[in-house]
Amino acid sequence: MDIASTTPASPTSPRTRAVVRATTVGALAATVVNLMLWWVGRAADASFVVDPALGDPNLEVGVVKVILTTLVPFAAGAALLALAASRSPRWVTVLVVVAGVVAVVSAGGPLDGGHDTATRVLLATMHVTTGAAFVVAATRIRSRA
């Protein structure tokens, strides 16, 4: 008889530590890449001014905004990944697919609201970069499950 544990992973379980490790590495990598993209854009005279769907028009995206909009969604994703990993590998797979879709769909925002082509392309690339880093981190957890 095979008895599988259905209790969620404890905060100190190896699975939870693996999620924290994978998402921390992914978040740091995405942040570094996004900051490099921002600096390249600045050197190329990208305005990094956008008109978001919600909020004030002519929002300038600076270094702090790049860092926060990379780390905050990654942290939310990490919490969902920890929950999914404690349930089953199938939940992790669903989260990987949803995260990939969200990353691609979210790239539409800067493509629509950026004031110049360089801004549009670079900010959309940052969205996809963050999503791809999360998908890689979540896939590593999926492969260990």
Side-chain angles (χ1 to χ4, degrees):
M1 178 192 293
D2 184 30
I3 299 176
S5 173
T6 58
T7 59
S10 73
T12 59
S13 74
R15 186 180 309 144
T16 302
R17 287 192 301 270
V19 168
V20 169
R21 184 174 35 257
T23 56
T24 299
V25 169
L28 292 175
T31 302
V32 167
V33 170
N34 286 346
L35 287 173
M36 289 183 350
L37 287 168
W38 186 85
W39 282 312
V40 165
R42 276 297 186 204
D45 289 330
S47 69
F48 285 106
V49 175
V50 296
D51 290 332
L54 299 172
D56 296 328
N58 301 323
L59 173 72
E60 186 170 352
V61 178
V63 171
V64 172
K65 185 137 180 83
V66 169
I67 293 169
L68 289 175
T69 56
T70 302
L71 294 179
V72 170
F74 226 103
L80 290 173
L81 181 57
L83 178 63
S86 72
R87 300 294 183 225
S88 76
R90 184 174 292 158
W91 282 45
V92 175
T93 301
V94 169
L95 182 61
V96 167
V97 171
V98 169
V101 169
V102 167
V104 171
V105 169
S106 75
L111 288 174
D112 183 46
H115 280 211
D116 56 82
T117 302
T119 295
R120 289 181 189 115
V121 170
L122 288 166
L123 290 176
T125 302
M126 289 179 195
H127 280 245
V128 173
T129 297
T130 302
F134 181 80
V135 166
V136 168
T139 301
R140 291 188 58 130
I141 297 305
R142 168 68 174 97
S143 68
R144 291 181 182 183

